[in-house]
Amino acid sequence: NNITFGDVWVCSGQSNMEWEMTQINDSASEIDGAEFPNIRIMAVSLQLAGAPLRDVKRLDQEWTPCSPESIRRFSAVGYFFGRELHQETGRPIGLIQSAWGGTPIETWIPDTALQQNPYFENVARHNVAPSQRYNAMIHGLAPLAIKGAIWYQGENNASWPQEYRSWQETLITSWRDLWNNPEMPFYF
């Protein structure tokens, strides 16, 4: 009942991607106009895991048609990206918000990929819990057919720009590997 098929995008990163529709300029007007039944939204709960989970364990929002009621707490960046895609292509669009403010990129990369990165030795020095958000909030999405990902993060890694570039390449490659799609679009 009420099932559609289209392109599904993962919307991930830190606070800029987590920024809710209620927080934007002209939010009331944008929210009131967000009646797009062929855009579906889902939001992954904030969670950590020491090892990759087979399934995402908790959701803040199950798959829901986009409406003024459902979009209020959803990622503004994700929504505007999905709305533009839908309006340009006419295709149904699925958006999965899996974002957490104030998080460094190393927490969104699988451990196996982190260990192959030339800056791996610096992870402990940065005082982060590597891979734990990837394990809990990304890996379990892999059974879904994903068209691509959008990424909005970087401020937590601003002190290490050379490392960040390398981590970003590792993140993109590892997510493409997860979905077995070396050409998967990845926008940031």
Side-chain angles (χ1 to χ4, degrees):
N1 190 349
N2 199 16
I3 296 173
T4 189
F5 295 91
D7 296 334
V8 178
W9 291 81
V10 174
C11 309
S12 193
Q14 63 175 191
S15 57
N16 294 329
M17 185 61 76
E18 199 177 35
W19 197 34
E20 298 176 357
M21 287 292 291
T22 58
Q23 297 171 301
I24 65 170
N25 292 338
D26 201 22
S27 63
S29 173
E30 290 291 351
I31 291 169
D32 287 346
E35 193 68 57
F36 293 96
N38 281 324
I39 297 176
R40 306 298 169 95
I41 58 175
M42 180 176 88
V44 176
S45 299
L46 305 182
Q47 52 199 311
L48 301 172
L53 300 179
R54 193 168 150 231
D55 298 306
V56 172
K57 298 296 182 192
R58 293 188 324 269
L59 298 174
D60 287 339
Q61 184 170 39
E62 300 277 343
W63 281 118
T64 308
C66 179
S67 70
E69 296 77 32
S70 66
I71 201 67
R72 298 180 61 73
R73 306 279 319 255
F74 196 76
S75 164
V77 172
Y79 166 72
F80 288 120
F81 174 79
R83 183 181 76 180
E84 184 170 330
L85 277 179
H86 174 64
Q87 289 175 330
E88 286 183 8
T89 67
R91 296 183 54 79
I93 300 294
L95 301 169
I96 301 171
Q97 177 181 327
S98 186
W100 191 329
T103 59
I105 195 169
E106 299 94 325
T107 66
W108 295 97
I109 301 171
D111 187 59
T112 53
L114 280 175
Q115 291 179 27
Q116 296 172 21
N117 186 285
Y119 293 104
F120 176 67
E121 63 192 41
N122 297 345
V123 172
R125 192 179 65 201
H126 296 172
N127 197 26
V128 300
S131 307
Q132 291 193 0
R133 287 168 185 87
Y134 167 86
N135 292 341
M137 298 174 64
I138 298 297
H139 188 267
L141 298 172
L144 298 172
I146 300 297
K147 174 74 173 179
I150 61 172
W151 178 258
Y152 200 164
Q153 187 273 344
E155 293 172 20
N156 254 32
N157 294 90
S159 298
W160 305 285
Q162 288 301 108
E163 288 182 32
Y164 185 74
R165 179 183 170 138
S166 180
W167 289 126
Q168 198 169 44
E169 291 171 3
T170 300
L171 174 95
I172 293 167
T173 300
S174 67
W175 286 24
R176 287 175 171 167
D177 289 347
L178 175 67
W179 275 286
N180 197 27
N181 182 355
E183 302 299 318
M184 182 178 88
F186 201 106
Y187 301 115
F188 52 95

